[in-house]
Amino acid sequence: MRIFHLYGSKERLFEMFERVNRIKLNEEILPEKNREAVIDEFVNYVDEKLDFGNDKPDVIVSYDENEAKGMTSFGKYTPSDGQIRVVAAKRNLADILRTLAHELVHYKQNQDGKLEPHSGDDGTEQENEANSIAGVLMREFGKKNPIIFE
């Protein structure tokens, strides 16, 4: 992501947030168990909106800080196994759900036969659509579930 380029690394970006906010970023504002329930509810909500049929994706949410350091993105959809992986370490719930929404749109695009090898590149029709729809999903879900803005 370009924002990381501006700061040099994700670690540097986290340091900047900590310095500005004078607090350590912490994903435990809402206990993990409660977060997982909201995440499950969100996946069901997106399913209602996008209609995955009887084939929901396998969603893995990782709280491993080392995994966060090694990735170039906080989310990934792998069409070959239908798996979505979202890194949640040091992120608030709304941010996690925004990443998840984006990847769920890619999942639906794949179901509809719209994904190609470079569909995830910046500026492609599929990537722009995933960003746009994820934003709408977040706004709608957030209005009904303000807890996501922990």
Side-chain angles (χ1 to χ4, degrees), residues 8-122:
S9 68
K10 285 184 228 182
E11 293 80 18
R12 178 76 176 125
L13 182 60
F14 285 144
E15 285 177 30
M16 295 296 287
F17 278 131
E18 290 171 7
R19 208 174 287 159
V20 169
N21 294 318
R22 295 182 188 189
I23 60 169
K24 184 160 178 73
L25 291 176
N26 186 349
E27 71 274 3
E28 296 177 0
I29 295 171
L30 185 64
E32 188 175 326
K33 180 180 175 183
N34 297 62
R35 292 171 129 230
E36 296 299 326
V38 174
I39 290 168
D40 288 343
E41 182 181 346
F42 183 71
V43 171
N44 290 331
Y45 174 81
V46 174
D47 181 19
E48 288 175 19
K49 295 290 185 174
L50 301 183
D51 189 16
F52 300 136
N54 292 325
D55 190 23
K56 285 188 185 175
D58 180 21
V59 176
I60 297 171
V61 179
S62 171
Y63 291 91
D64 181 355
E65 291 184 29
N66 290 324
E67 183 175 2
K69 292 176 185 176
M71 293 182 73
T72 58
S73 174
F74 287 114
K76 181 180 181 180
Y77 166 58
T78 308
S80 62
D81 62 11
Q83 185 180 87
I84 293 173
R85 188 168 197 88
V86 177
V87 176
K90 294 189 177 190
R91 299 176 70 204
N92 72 29
L93 185 55
D95 190 39
I96 294 164
L97 294 180
R98 172 66 179 77
T99 299
L100 178 55
H102 179 98
E103 300 307 330
L104 287 167
V105 173
H106 284 319
Y107 179 79
K108 179 61 175 171
Q109 290 169 334
N110 190 48
Q111 282 187 319
D112 294 343
K114 295 180 181 179
L115 282 188
E116 298 171 6
H118 297 286
S119 292
D121 291 352
D122 291 340

